[in-house]
Every structure is written in structure tokens, then in C-alpha cells.
Amino acid sequence: MAHEIKSIGVVGAGQMGSGIAHVAALHGGNVLLADLSEERLNAGLATIGNNLARQVASGRITEEAKKEALGRIKATTDYTAFGDSDLVIESATESEAVKRTIYGAICPVLKPGAMIALVAGIVPCRPGFIGTVTTAQVPQFWMDMYNYAWFISFGVSFLVYLGLMKAG
């Protein structure tokens, strides 16, 4: 039985995190975007708004789709707010200390059946890192982000194919 993904948590509102939040919300996901500061969150939300506006201007989406996508994105600086997320995608800075703090806050509050995606970078590849930041109760997987644009289109297409997100 497939696990439907309706709510997606995204950690990090930088280029990668805001792009993931943008595409997930555009495809019907309810997104909780988190970062360390309101300033970073506001910058990420502004980027998402600008990118959606460009899509409207080019005719790729409607103004209504833009408004709906923006309405599905909520922002927070509280990493413990991910309790209702079906999937959390971590795209934070490449700092082992920061990542340990993030996973230490997120994993204990995730609901049963929730998944966490560790963005493959330098830190998650270190021996022993994965087992020390997640638990057996939290299904986990890596995402290789060497080609960001490819991941965004493939990742969402894959979730749609699995029936975990709607096409659109």
C-alpha cells in the first residue's frame, strides 16, 4: 500500500530548499519551509514568489496556480513543527554540527510512517553519520543533488508516478 505524501517539510530556505518547496507546492503538496532565521525564510519565500511570477509571465502556469502554490507554503524557524509532515527533505548547509542539531530536533517529533530525506552532500557521506542522526522508526533515504534541476523535475515526477503527489 502506497503512503500518500500530502505534507512536506523542507529544511533550508536557500536556493535548493526554496526550489524544492516551490515545486512541491505547485504540485499540490502542503509545504512547511524552515530555516534558522526569519530573514532567511523571507528571502526564500521571495525567491519562490519571483520564480512563480516568471512562470506566470511565460504562460507556464496561471495566476491562480501561483496563488494556490504560495498558499500551500508555510514558514517557521521551529524545527519541531514538522510533526505532521509525511516527508521531510533536509537541504541545510554542509555543517555536521548544524545537521546533527536539525535531525536531533526533527526525528523525535515525526509521526509514525513519516520519512526523512537526507540530501547527499559531504556530511551525510561521512562514516557513521546516518545512524547517529536518525532512528530505525524513521525511514530515510538519500537524494543526490549534484544536478539540482534534474532532481527537481525527476523527484517530483517520481512522486507523481508513485501516486504520492498529484500531476499538475
Side-chain angles (χ1 to χ4, degrees), residues 39-86:
E39 180 181 49
R40 290 180 185 190
L41 285 168
N42 290 336
L45 292 169
T47 297
I48 294 167
N50 291 337
N51 290 340
L52 286 167
R54 279 192 314 197
Q55 288 181 288
V56 170
S58 71
R60 294 178 70 196
I61 64 170
T62 64
E63 183 66 32
E64 182 180 337
K66 172 190 166 189
K67 288 179 184 175
E68 288 174 0
L70 288 171
R72 285 192 283 273
I73 301 171
K74 306 295 180 232
T76 186
T77 57
D78 180 10
Y79 293 131
T80 64
F82 288 112
D84 290 329
S85 296
D86 298 311

mmCIF file of all heavy atoms in Angstrom, residues 39-86:
data_model
loop_
_atom_site.group_PDB
_atom_site.id
_atom_site.type_symbol
_atom_site.label_atom_id
_atom_site.label_comp_id
_atom_site.label_asym_id
_atom_site.label_seq_id
_atom_site.Cartn_x
_atom_site.Cartn_y
_atom_site.Cartn_z
ATOM 1 N N GLU A 39 14.749 36.187 8.448
ATOM 2 C CA GLU A 39 15.380 36.826 7.289
ATOM 3 C C GLU A 39 15.612 35.812 6.166
ATOM 4 O O GLU A 39 15.297 36.077 5.001
ATOM 5 C CB GLU A 39 16.697 37.474 7.711
ATOM 6 C CG GLU A 39 17.427 38.167 6.586
ATOM 7 C CD GLU A 39 18.745 38.782 7.052
ATOM 8 O OE1 GLU A 39 19.536 38.075 7.717
ATOM 9 O OE2 GLU A 39 18.961 39.958 6.743
ATOM 10 N N ARG A 40 16.153 34.652 6.513
ATOM 11 C CA ARG A 40 16.388 33.608 5.500
ATOM 12 C C ARG A 40 15.074 33.084 4.936
ATOM 13 O O ARG A 40 14.960 32.808 3.739
ATOM 14 C CB ARG A 40 17.197 32.466 6.101
ATOM 15 C CG ARG A 40 18.622 32.841 6.396
ATOM 16 C CD ARG A 40 19.373 31.691 6.988
ATOM 17 N NE ARG A 40 20.705 32.095 7.387
ATOM 18 C CZ ARG A 40 21.647 31.257 7.751
ATOM 19 N NH1 ARG A 40 21.420 29.963 7.769
ATOM 20 N NH2 ARG A 40 22.827 31.698 8.104
ATOM 21 N N LEU A 41 14.084 32.923 5.805
ATOM 22 C CA LEU A 41 12.775 32.465 5.331
ATOM 23 C C LEU A 41 12.155 33.481 4.373
ATOM 24 O O LEU A 41 11.638 33.108 3.323
ATOM 25 C CB LEU A 41 11.832 32.223 6.511
ATOM 26 C CG LEU A 41 12.086 30.963 7.312
ATOM 27 C CD1 LEU A 41 11.286 30.978 8.602
ATOM 28 C CD2 LEU A 41 11.765 29.722 6.489
ATOM 29 N N ASN A 42 12.207 34.756 4.732
ATOM 30 C CA ASN A 42 11.643 35.789 3.865
ATOM 31 C C ASN A 42 12.345 35.832 2.513
ATOM 32 O O ASN A 42 11.697 36.004 1.475
ATOM 33 C CB ASN A 42 11.699 37.154 4.554
ATOM 34 C CG ASN A 42 10.728 37.246 5.711
ATOM 35 O OD1 ASN A 42 9.734 36.529 5.771
ATOM 36 N ND2 ASN A 42 11.026 38.117 6.659
ATOM 37 N N ALA A 43 13.665 35.659 2.514
ATOM 38 C CA ALA A 43 14.407 35.631 1.246
ATOM 39 C C ALA A 43 13.986 34.423 0.408
ATOM 40 O O ALA A 43 13.782 34.538 -0.807
ATOM 41 C CB ALA A 43 15.908 35.601 1.515
ATOM 42 N N GLY A 44 13.829 33.270 1.040
ATOM 43 C CA GLY A 44 13.398 32.068 0.320
ATOM 44 C C GLY A 44 11.996 32.213 -0.244
ATOM 45 O O GLY A 44 11.724 31.842 -1.392
ATOM 46 N N LEU A 45 11.089 32.767 0.553
ATOM 47 C CA LEU A 45 9.718 32.977 0.086
ATOM 48 C C LEU A 45 9.674 33.990 -1.050
ATOM 49 O O LEU A 45 8.890 33.834 -1.993
ATOM 50 C CB LEU A 45 8.824 33.424 1.246
ATOM 51 C CG LEU A 45 8.575 32.359 2.320
ATOM 52 C CD1 LEU A 45 7.898 32.984 3.539
ATOM 53 C CD2 LEU A 45 7.755 31.201 1.767
ATOM 54 N N ALA A 46 10.521 35.014 -0.985
ATOM 55 C CA ALA A 46 10.592 35.996 -2.076
ATOM 56 C C ALA A 46 11.084 35.339 -3.362
ATOM 57 O O ALA A 46 10.558 35.601 -4.452
ATOM 58 C CB ALA A 46 11.506 37.157 -1.685
ATOM 59 N N THR A 47 12.073 34.464 -3.237
ATOM 60 C CA THR A 47 12.581 33.741 -4.411
ATOM 61 C C THR A 47 11.482 32.889 -5.026
ATOM 62 O O THR A 47 11.295 32.876 -6.246
ATOM 63 C CB THR A 47 13.792 32.867 -4.026
ATOM 64 O OG1 THR A 47 14.843 33.725 -3.573
ATOM 65 C CG2 THR A 47 14.274 32.023 -5.191
ATOM 66 N N ILE A 48 10.749 32.179 -4.179
ATOM 67 C CA ILE A 48 9.648 31.343 -4.670
ATOM 68 C C ILE A 48 8.620 32.214 -5.394
ATOM 69 O O ILE A 48 8.173 31.887 -6.499
ATOM 70 C CB ILE A 48 8.993 30.553 -3.517
ATOM 71 C CG1 ILE A 48 9.979 29.532 -2.949
ATOM 72 C CG2 ILE A 48 7.707 29.871 -3.994
ATOM 73 C CD1 ILE A 48 9.548 28.921 -1.623
ATOM 74 N N GLY A 49 8.234 33.327 -4.785
ATOM 75 C CA GLY A 49 7.262 34.231 -5.406
ATOM 76 C C GLY A 49 7.741 34.761 -6.748
ATOM 77 O O GLY A 49 6.982 34.798 -7.724
ATOM 78 N N ASN A 50 9.007 35.148 -6.812
ATOM 79 C CA ASN A 50 9.564 35.651 -8.074
ATOM 80 C C ASN A 50 9.610 34.571 -9.149
ATOM 81 O O ASN A 50 9.307 34.838 -10.316
ATOM 82 C CB ASN A 50 10.969 36.215 -7.849
ATOM 83 C CG ASN A 50 10.958 37.492 -7.039
ATOM 84 O OD1 ASN A 50 9.957 38.199 -6.987
ATOM 85 N ND2 ASN A 50 12.066 37.778 -6.370
ATOM 86 N N ASN A 51 9.989 33.368 -8.755
ATOM 87 C CA ASN A 51 10.054 32.275 -9.730
ATOM 88 C C ASN A 51 8.665 31.892 -10.231
ATOM 89 O O ASN A 51 8.482 31.615 -11.425
ATOM 90 C CB ASN A 51 10.781 31.071 -9.143
ATOM 91 C CG ASN A 51 12.260 31.317 -8.967
ATOM 92 O OD1 ASN A 51 12.838 32.214 -9.595
ATOM 93 N ND2 ASN A 51 12.893 30.551 -8.109
ATOM 94 N N LEU A 52 7.692 31.887 -9.349
ATOM 95 C CA LEU A 52 6.317 31.613 -9.779
ATOM 96 C C LEU A 52 5.810 32.722 -10.696
ATOM 97 O O LEU A 52 5.124 32.447 -11.681
ATOM 98 C CB LEU A 52 5.406 31.457 -8.561
ATOM 99 C CG LEU A 52 5.561 30.154 -7.776
ATOM 100 C CD1 LEU A 52 4.859 30.249 -6.424
ATOM 101 C CD2 LEU A 52 5.038 28.962 -8.566
ATOM 102 N N ALA A 53 6.149 33.971 -10.391
ATOM 103 C CA ALA A 53 5.740 35.090 -11.242
ATOM 104 C C ALA A 53 6.328 34.949 -12.646
ATOM 105 O O ALA A 53 5.658 35.250 -13.643
ATOM 106 C CB ALA A 53 6.161 36.422 -10.614
ATOM 107 N N ARG A 54 7.571 34.496 -12.739
ATOM 108 C CA ARG A 54 8.177 34.262 -14.060
ATOM 109 C C ARG A 54 7.434 33.164 -14.805
ATOM 110 O O ARG A 54 7.257 33.243 -16.022
ATOM 111 C CB ARG A 54 9.649 33.875 -13.920
ATOM 112 C CG ARG A 54 10.548 35.061 -13.736
ATOM 113 C CD ARG A 54 11.979 34.691 -13.897
ATOM 114 N NE ARG A 54 12.270 33.468 -13.144
ATOM 115 C CZ ARG A 54 13.456 33.045 -12.813
ATOM 116 N NH1 ARG A 54 14.515 33.698 -13.195
ATOM 117 N NH2 ARG A 54 13.626 31.948 -12.121
ATOM 118 N N GLN A 55 6.994 32.131 -14.083
ATOM 119 C CA GLN A 55 6.235 31.067 -14.732
ATOM 120 C C GLN A 55 4.894 31.591 -15.250
ATOM 121 O O GLN A 55 4.441 31.177 -16.313
ATOM 122 C CB GLN A 55 6.018 29.891 -13.769
ATOM 123 C CG GLN A 55 7.284 29.086 -13.514
ATOM 124 C CD GLN A 55 7.015 27.923 -12.589
ATOM 125 O OE1 GLN A 55 6.805 28.108 -11.402
ATOM 126 N NE2 GLN A 55 7.027 26.719 -13.148
ATOM 127 N N VAL A 56 4.263 32.478 -14.495
ATOM 128 C CA VAL A 56 3.004 33.092 -14.943
ATOM 129 C C VAL A 56 3.266 33.925 -16.194
ATOM 130 O O VAL A 56 2.555 33.815 -17.199
ATOM 131 C CB VAL A 56 2.369 33.954 -13.829
ATOM 132 C CG1 VAL A 56 1.198 34.778 -14.385
ATOM 133 C CG2 VAL A 56 1.907 33.091 -12.669
ATOM 134 N N ALA A 57 4.306 34.763 -16.146
ATOM 135 C CA ALA A 57 4.628 35.644 -17.278
ATOM 136 C C ALA A 57 4.934 34.861 -18.547
ATOM 137 O O ALA A 57 4.623 35.313 -19.652
ATOM 138 C CB ALA A 57 5.810 36.547 -16.924
ATOM 139 N N SER A 58 5.514 33.672 -18.393
ATOM 140 C CA SER A 58 5.847 32.868 -19.572
ATOM 141 C C SER A 58 4.687 31.984 -20.027
ATOM 142 O O SER A 58 4.793 31.298 -21.039
ATOM 143 C CB SER A 58 7.064 31.984 -19.277
ATOM 144 O OG SER A 58 6.712 30.952 -18.367
ATOM 145 N N GLY A 59 3.588 32.005 -19.277
ATOM 146 C CA GLY A 59 2.421 31.203 -19.654
ATOM 147 C C GLY A 59 2.491 29.756 -19.207
ATOM 148 O O GLY A 59 1.625 28.954 -19.564
ATOM 149 N N ARG A 60 3.468 29.401 -18.411
ATOM 150 C CA ARG A 60 3.609 28.004 -17.964
ATOM 151 C C ARG A 60 2.602 27.640 -16.886
ATOM 152 O O ARG A 60 2.201 26.480 -16.772
ATOM 153 C CB ARG A 60 5.026 27.749 -17.469
ATOM 154 C CG ARG A 60 6.042 27.860 -18.618
ATOM 155 C CD ARG A 60 7.446 27.662 -18.157
ATOM 156 N NE ARG A 60 7.633 26.264 -17.797
ATOM 157 C CZ ARG A 60 8.648 25.824 -17.079
ATOM 158 N NH1 ARG A 60 9.569 26.665 -16.643
ATOM 159 N NH2 ARG A 60 8.758 24.558 -16.799
ATOM 160 N N ILE A 61 2.213 28.623 -16.065
ATOM 161 C CA ILE A 61 1.179 28.417 -15.060
ATOM 162 C C ILE A 61 0.265 29.638 -15.060
ATOM 163 O O ILE A 61 0.607 30.678 -15.607
ATOM 164 C CB ILE A 61 1.761 28.192 -13.633
ATOM 165 C CG1 ILE A 61 2.504 29.431 -13.128
ATOM 166 C CG2 ILE A 61 2.643 26.952 -13.585
ATOM 167 C CD1 ILE A 61 2.897 29.370 -11.654
ATOM 168 N N THR A 62 -0.884 29.502 -14.411
ATOM 169 C CA THR A 62 -1.817 30.627 -14.311
ATOM 170 C C THR A 62 -1.550 31.405 -13.021
ATOM 171 O O THR A 62 -0.893 30.906 -12.102
ATOM 172 C CB THR A 62 -3.272 30.121 -14.281
ATOM 173 O OG1 THR A 62 -3.452 29.336 -13.093
ATOM 174 C CG2 THR A 62 -3.599 29.282 -15.523
ATOM 175 N N GLU A 63 -2.097 32.597 -12.964
ATOM 176 C CA GLU A 63 -2.003 33.400 -11.739
ATOM 177 C C GLU A 63 -2.679 32.662 -10.582
ATOM 178 O O GLU A 63 -2.208 32.702 -9.450
ATOM 179 C CB GLU A 63 -2.659 34.775 -11.950
ATOM 180 C CG GLU A 63 -2.553 35.699 -10.777
ATOM 181 C CD GLU A 63 -1.135 36.154 -10.450
ATOM 182 O OE1 GLU A 63 -0.309 36.280 -11.368
ATOM 183 O OE2 GLU A 63 -0.858 36.380 -9.252
ATOM 184 N N GLU A 64 -3.759 31.962 -10.872
ATOM 185 C CA GLU A 64 -4.459 31.181 -9.844
ATOM 186 C C GLU A 64 -3.560 30.067 -9.300
ATOM 187 O O GLU A 64 -3.509 29.842 -8.087
ATOM 188 C CB GLU A 64 -5.748 30.584 -10.410
ATOM 189 C CG GLU A 64 -6.546 29.806 -9.390
ATOM 190 C CD GLU A 64 -7.829 29.216 -9.964
ATOM 191 O OE1 GLU A 64 -8.333 29.737 -10.984
ATOM 192 O OE2 GLU A 64 -8.317 28.244 -9.385
ATOM 193 N N ALA A 65 -2.847 29.376 -10.186
ATOM 194 C CA ALA A 65 -1.937 28.310 -9.744
ATOM 195 C C ALA A 65 -0.831 28.887 -8.864
ATOM 196 O O ALA A 65 -0.433 28.271 -7.862
ATOM 197 C CB ALA A 65 -1.340 27.580 -10.940
ATOM 198 N N LYS A 66 -0.352 30.060 -9.228
ATOM 199 C CA LYS A 66 0.678 30.729 -8.414
ATOM 200 C C LYS A 66 0.142 31.006 -7.016
ATOM 201 O O LYS A 66 0.797 30.702 -6.014
ATOM 202 C CB LYS A 66 1.107 32.032 -9.087
ATOM 203 C CG LYS A 66 2.021 32.891 -8.229
ATOM 204 C CD LYS A 66 2.231 34.271 -8.834
ATOM 205 C CE LYS A 66 2.837 35.205 -7.806
ATOM 206 N NZ LYS A 66 2.870 36.579 -8.261
ATOM 207 N N LYS A 67 -1.041 31.606 -6.932
ATOM 208 C CA LYS A 67 -1.635 31.945 -5.642
ATOM 209 C C LYS A 67 -1.888 30.691 -4.802
ATOM 210 O O LYS A 67 -1.652 30.686 -3.589
ATOM 211 C CB LYS A 67 -2.932 32.721 -5.836
ATOM 212 C CG LYS A 67 -2.712 34.137 -6.323
ATOM 213 C CD LYS A 67 -4.020 34.857 -6.532
ATOM 214 C CE LYS A 67 -3.764 36.245 -7.114
ATOM 215 N NZ LYS A 67 -5.017 36.928 -7.443
ATOM 216 N N GLU A 68 -2.365 29.628 -5.451
ATOM 217 C CA GLU A 68 -2.614 28.379 -4.729
ATOM 218 C C GLU A 68 -1.314 27.795 -4.188
ATOM 219 O O GLU A 68 -1.262 27.330 -3.046
ATOM 220 C CB GLU A 68 -3.314 27.368 -5.633
ATOM 221 C CG GLU A 68 -4.762 27.717 -5.915
ATOM 222 C CD GLU A 68 -5.412 26.786 -6.917
ATOM 223 O OE1 GLU A 68 -4.749 25.844 -7.411
ATOM 224 O OE2 GLU A 68 -6.596 27.009 -7.219
ATOM 225 N N ALA A 69 -0.268 27.806 -5.008
ATOM 226 C CA ALA A 69 1.026 27.273 -4.568
ATOM 227 C C ALA A 69 1.561 28.075 -3.383
ATOM 228 O O ALA A 69 1.999 27.502 -2.375
ATOM 229 C CB ALA A 69 2.029 27.283 -5.714
ATOM 230 N N LEU A 70 1.525 29.396 -3.481
ATOM 231 C CA LEU A 70 2.004 30.235 -2.375
ATOM 232 C C LEU A 70 1.182 30.003 -1.112
ATOM 233 O O LEU A 70 1.714 30.033 0.000
ATOM 234 C CB LEU A 70 1.984 31.708 -2.771
ATOM 235 C CG LEU A 70 3.049 32.132 -3.778
ATOM 236 C CD1 LEU A 70 2.804 33.556 -4.258
ATOM 237 C CD2 LEU A 70 4.442 31.993 -3.180
ATOM 238 N N GLY A 71 -0.108 29.744 -1.282
ATOM 239 C CA GLY A 71 -0.986 29.478 -0.135
ATOM 240 C C GLY A 71 -0.697 28.154 0.549
ATOM 241 O O GLY A 71 -1.093 27.954 1.701
ATOM 242 N N ARG A 72 -0.035 27.244 -0.151
ATOM 243 C CA ARG A 72 0.301 25.936 0.431
ATOM 244 C C ARG A 72 1.644 25.939 1.162
ATOM 245 O O ARG A 72 2.039 24.936 1.721
ATOM 246 C CB ARG A 72 0.296 24.867 -0.662
ATOM 247 C CG ARG A 72 -1.104 24.460 -1.093
ATOM 248 C CD ARG A 72 -1.083 23.214 -1.959
ATOM 249 N NE ARG A 72 -0.665 23.472 -3.316
ATOM 250 C CZ ARG A 72 -1.471 23.837 -4.306
ATOM 251 N NH1 ARG A 72 -2.750 24.001 -4.074
ATOM 252 N NH2 ARG A 72 -1.009 24.032 -5.515
ATOM 253 N N ILE A 73 2.350 27.061 1.140
ATOM 254 C CA ILE A 73 3.662 27.135 1.795
ATOM 255 C C ILE A 73 3.552 27.937 3.087
ATOM 256 O O ILE A 73 3.131 29.084 3.084
ATOM 257 C CB ILE A 73 4.714 27.789 0.877
ATOM 258 C CG1 ILE A 73 4.856 26.993 -0.425
ATOM 259 C CG2 ILE A 73 6.062 27.873 1.598
ATOM 260 C CD1 ILE A 73 5.724 27.686 -1.472
ATOM 261 N N LYS A 74 3.925 27.306 4.181
ATOM 262 C CA LYS A 74 4.010 27.967 5.485
ATOM 263 C C LYS A 74 5.477 28.001 5.877
ATOM 264 O O LYS A 74 6.259 27.145 5.470
ATOM 265 C CB LYS A 74 3.210 27.206 6.544
ATOM 266 C CG LYS A 74 1.762 26.960 6.181
ATOM 267 C CD LYS A 74 0.981 28.244 6.069
ATOM 268 C CE LYS A 74 -0.469 27.968 5.715
ATOM 269 N NZ LYS A 74 -0.949 28.702 4.584
ATOM 270 N N ALA A 75 5.861 28.980 6.698
ATOM 271 C CA ALA A 75 7.261 29.128 7.088
ATOM 272 C C ALA A 75 7.402 29.118 8.605
ATOM 273 O O ALA A 75 6.501 29.572 9.322
ATOM 274 C CB ALA A 75 7.820 30.427 6.513
ATOM 275 N N THR A 76 8.545 28.600 9.075
ATOM 276 C CA THR A 76 8.807 28.544 10.506
ATOM 277 C C THR A 76 10.308 28.514 10.787
ATOM 278 O O THR A 76 11.085 28.118 9.921
ATOM 279 C CB THR A 76 8.151 27.296 11.141
ATOM 280 O OG1 THR A 76 8.307 27.347 12.564
ATOM 281 C CG2 THR A 76 8.767 26.003 10.619
ATOM 282 N N THR A 77 10.656 28.933 11.980
ATOM 283 C CA THR A 77 12.041 28.772 12.441
ATOM 284 C C THR A 77 12.111 27.644 13.475
ATOM 285 O O THR A 77 13.164 27.382 14.039
ATOM 286 C CB THR A 77 12.571 30.073 13.080
ATOM 287 O OG1 THR A 77 11.706 30.455 14.149
ATOM 288 C CG2 THR A 77 12.666 31.192 12.053
ATOM 289 N N ASP A 78 10.990 26.971 13.712
ATOM 290 C CA ASP A 78 10.891 25.915 14.719
ATOM 291 C C ASP A 78 10.967 24.535 14.058
ATOM 292 O O ASP A 78 9.998 24.080 13.458
ATOM 293 C CB ASP A 78 9.581 26.072 15.484
ATOM 294 C CG ASP A 78 9.386 25.020 16.556
ATOM 295 O OD1 ASP A 78 10.337 24.257 16.853
ATOM 296 O OD2 ASP A 78 8.262 24.961 17.104
ATOM 297 N N TYR A 79 12.105 23.878 14.200
ATOM 298 C CA TYR A 79 12.276 22.567 13.571
ATOM 299 C C TYR A 79 11.383 21.493 14.182
ATOM 300 O O TYR A 79 11.160 20.454 13.574
ATOM 301 C CB TYR A 79 13.736 22.126 13.629
ATOM 302 C CG TYR A 79 14.658 22.972 12.785
ATOM 303 C CD1 TYR A 79 15.840 23.481 13.307
ATOM 304 C CD2 TYR A 79 14.357 23.263 11.467
ATOM 305 C CE1 TYR A 79 16.696 24.261 12.532
ATOM 306 C CE2 TYR A 79 15.184 24.039 10.689
ATOM 307 C CZ TYR A 79 16.353 24.537 11.229
ATOM 308 O OH TYR A 79 17.183 25.300 10.467
ATOM 309 N N THR A 80 10.852 21.714 15.366
ATOM 310 C CA THR A 80 9.957 20.721 15.961
ATOM 311 C C THR A 80 8.548 20.809 15.376
ATOM 312 O O THR A 80 7.688 20.018 15.729
ATOM 313 C CB THR A 80 9.906 20.852 17.496
ATOM 314 O OG1 THR A 80 9.341 22.125 17.833
ATOM 315 C CG2 THR A 80 11.292 20.714 18.109
ATOM 316 N N ALA A 81 8.314 21.742 14.463
ATOM 317 C CA ALA A 81 6.994 21.910 13.852
ATOM 318 C C ALA A 81 6.708 20.876 12.761
ATOM 319 O O ALA A 81 5.634 20.881 12.179
ATOM 320 C CB ALA A 81 6.868 23.319 13.280
ATOM 321 N N PHE A 82 7.659 19.987 12.483
ATOM 322 C CA PHE A 82 7.487 19.015 11.404
ATOM 323 C C PHE A 82 6.692 17.774 11.812
ATOM 324 O O PHE A 82 6.635 16.807 11.066
ATOM 325 C CB PHE A 82 8.853 18.571 10.872
ATOM 326 C CG PHE A 82 9.554 19.627 10.076
ATOM 327 C CD1 PHE A 82 10.707 20.212 10.558
ATOM 328 C CD2 PHE A 82 9.066 20.034 8.862
ATOM 329 C CE1 PHE A 82 11.370 21.187 9.833
ATOM 330 C CE2 PHE A 82 9.710 21.012 8.127
ATOM 331 C CZ PHE A 82 10.862 21.592 8.612
ATOM 332 N N GLY A 83 6.063 17.788 12.967
ATOM 333 C CA GLY A 83 5.350 16.620 13.472
ATOM 334 C C GLY A 83 4.285 16.062 12.552
ATOM 335 O O GLY A 83 4.023 14.867 12.565
ATOM 336 N N ASP A 84 3.648 16.894 11.754
ATOM 337 C CA ASP A 84 2.587 16.426 10.854
ATOM 338 C C ASP A 84 3.079 16.138 9.442
ATOM 339 O O ASP A 84 2.284 15.768 8.580
ATOM 340 C CB ASP A 84 1.459 17.462 10.789
ATOM 341 C CG ASP A 84 0.683 17.544 12.093
ATOM 342 O OD1 ASP A 84 0.573 16.510 12.778
ATOM 343 O OD2 ASP A 84 0.193 18.644 12.424
ATOM 344 N N SER A 85 4.354 16.295 9.191
ATOM 345 C CA SER A 85 4.894 16.094 7.833
ATOM 346 C C SER A 85 4.964 14.614 7.482
ATOM 347 O O SER A 85 5.360 13.788 8.302
ATOM 348 C CB SER A 85 6.288 16.708 7.721
ATOM 349 O OG SER A 85 6.232 18.099 7.903
ATOM 350 N N ASP A 86 4.578 14.311 6.248
ATOM 351 C CA ASP A 86 4.708 12.940 5.738
ATOM 352 C C ASP A 86 6.134 12.691 5.257
ATOM 353 O O ASP A 86 6.631 11.571 5.308
ATOM 354 C CB ASP A 86 3.747 12.713 4.563
ATOM 355 C CG ASP A 86 2.299 12.877 4.974
ATOM 356 O OD1 ASP A 86 1.893 12.277 5.992
ATOM 357 O OD2 ASP A 86 1.569 13.621 4.294
#
